Amino acid sequence: MKLGTIGSGKIVQEMLRAIEPIEEVTCVAAYSRKQETADELAGEYQIPKTYTSLEDFFADEEMDTVYIASPNKLHTEQALQAVENHKHVICEKPFTPNAADAKKLKEAAEQNNVFIFEAIPTLFLPNFLELSNHIERLGQIRLIQCNYSQYSSRYDQLKAGEVTNMFDPAFAGGALSDINIYNLHFVLRLFGKPTEVTYKANLFENGIDTSGIALLSYSGFQASCVGSKDTTGENFVSIQGEDGYMYIKPGANGVNNVKITIDGKTKDISVKQDRARLAYEFIYFNKIIKKNNKKSYDELINHTIAVAEVLEDARAQAGL
Ligand SMILES: NC(=O)c1ccc[n+]([C@@H]2O[C@H](COP(=O)([O-])OP(=O)(O)OC[C@H]3O[C@@H](n4cnc5c(N)ncnc54)[C@H](OP(=O)(O)O)[C@@H]3O)[C@@H](O)[C@H]2O)c1
């Protein structure tokens, strides 16, 4: 995989560090709106080419895959440009601001014979894959609780009157899209799309949700997903079935430790997970591309669309 990056925030740097030890994945180009920022990134991570024009960036023939880590509102437009230039796409979460855009991107990728992925590292972690093999042991699932709360320094900025992209309704920000989305991905990847979605949010005066609770209803069970950027909390996922329960730390973004309790006996079923958090998804996407694995790809893109539909539904309920 020969990558080109869009954006120069923290997540791009985390990604560049994560792929460094992966032989089959290299970064060949970086786009930034400013030459100075592109040069800084290129210097630190030995990226041979930089661009400040998106048109020139997408025309780069060596680059076969674009990693999009721009503000949420720009994902659809940039991903569309990338696939129309016959590049595979790995797009940061949330994939698109609405479900119609997600479907449009899926179609555009098909027409251009490329793959398009949403970057949700959790879904590719060895511990997530391992725990999914143990769900059946819990019997009939009844209750799921997820909490992902992380007090954001950008919330302090918001309170001080500075609206950053993350808390800007015009940039498709907010706690649901930024943090609760990890809980939604976690639950939907294991159990599919819920039959009903409810979202109750704490809204700031500019109308953005700074925290909230999404309730996903399934036939026979309920999943409560808490996502907060205005408080800290104990981050975890708990899955309760009639025969036992599973407790996952530190929750839907990390999955480092998994314990299962059946008949009062608790067992740690965690497996080795010694690569960087973002490394696993790049290894997985690279394999799908190399093997042209349409079955695994379809599963992932359809999952992404289901999450986009749930997000859209939840957002509408909070008036977002
Ligand atoms: N998977 C994860 O764990 C994870 C973690 C954090 C963030 N994310 C996702 O990654 C994406 C980027 O997040 P972030 O916090 O880095 O966002 P950000 O700081 O708001 O923006 C990211 C980059 O986009 C460019 N940019 C900023 N404002 C822009 C504007 N008005 N118009 C055009 N370009 C602009 C900047 O790059 P240049 O100045 O170089 O152009 C900036 O570095 C988001 O979609 C977020 O949800 C994912």
Side-chain angles (χ1 to χ4, degrees), residues 71-101:
N72 303 345
K73 194 189 80 167
L74 303 177
H75 291 178
T76 304
E77 187 189 322
Q78 292 175 341
L80 200 56
Q81 267 180 289
V83 299
E84 283 170 352
N85 281 278
H86 309 288
K87 311 294 186 199
H88 304 291
V89 171
I90 299 169
C91 180
E92 267 306 334
K93 48 60 67 170
F95 191 59
T96 52
N98 57 58
D101 280 12

Side-chain angles (χ1 to χ4, degrees), residues 152-223:
S152 170
S153 56
R154 293 175 189 174
Y155 179 59
D156 286 331
Q157 289 172 269
L158 182 70
K159 285 198 289 185
E162 188 195 338
V163 182
T164 53
N165 296 337
M166 186 194 285
F167 287 118
D168 190 344
F171 271 82
L176 179 71
S177 301
D178 192 70
I179 200 159
N180 215 341
I181 188 171
Y182 289 96
N183 295 326
L184 301 184
H185 269 286
F186 192 103
V187 175
L188 266 75
R189 188 73 177 125
L190 292 175
F191 301 105
K193 209 176 155 198
T195 52
E196 203 187 330
V197 181
T198 314
Y199 185 54
K200 300 282 184 198
N202 294 315
L203 302 180
F204 197 71
E205 59 202 32
N206 68 345
I208 202 74
D209 56 325
T210 54
S211 54
I213 306 178
L215 179 68
L216 312 181
S217 296
Y218 288 83
S219 167
F221 66 100
Q222 310 288 333

Side-chain angles (χ1 to χ4, degrees), residues 1 24-25 64-65 88-90 113-118 123-124 129 189 280-302:
M1 181 186 285
E24 316 85 77
V25 181
D64 55 44
T65 306
H88 304 291
V89 171
I90 299 169
N113 269 322
V114 288
F115 293 131
I116 182 160
F117 305 98
E118 182 178 15
L123 309 184
F124 308 96
L129 302 175
R189 188 73 177 125
Y280 297 99
E281 60 185 353
F282 279 81
I283 292 169
Y284 200 95
F285 298 150
N286 185 49
K287 256 191 209 149
I288 289 187
I289 294 170
K290 265 179 97 175
K291 294 191 171 159
N292 196 26
N293 186 340
K294 293 211 165 91
K295 187 169 170 278
S296 296
Y297 170 72
D298 278 345
E299 256 182 43
L300 288 177
I301 191 69
N302 291 334

Side-chain angles (χ1 to χ4, degrees), residues 11 14-15 18-19 67 92 121 276-283:
I11 192 67
E14 186 181 342
M15 182 281 288
I19 62 165
Y67 172 68
E92 267 306 334
R277 183 179 71 105
L278 303 191
Y280 297 99
E281 60 185 353
F282 279 81
I283 292 169

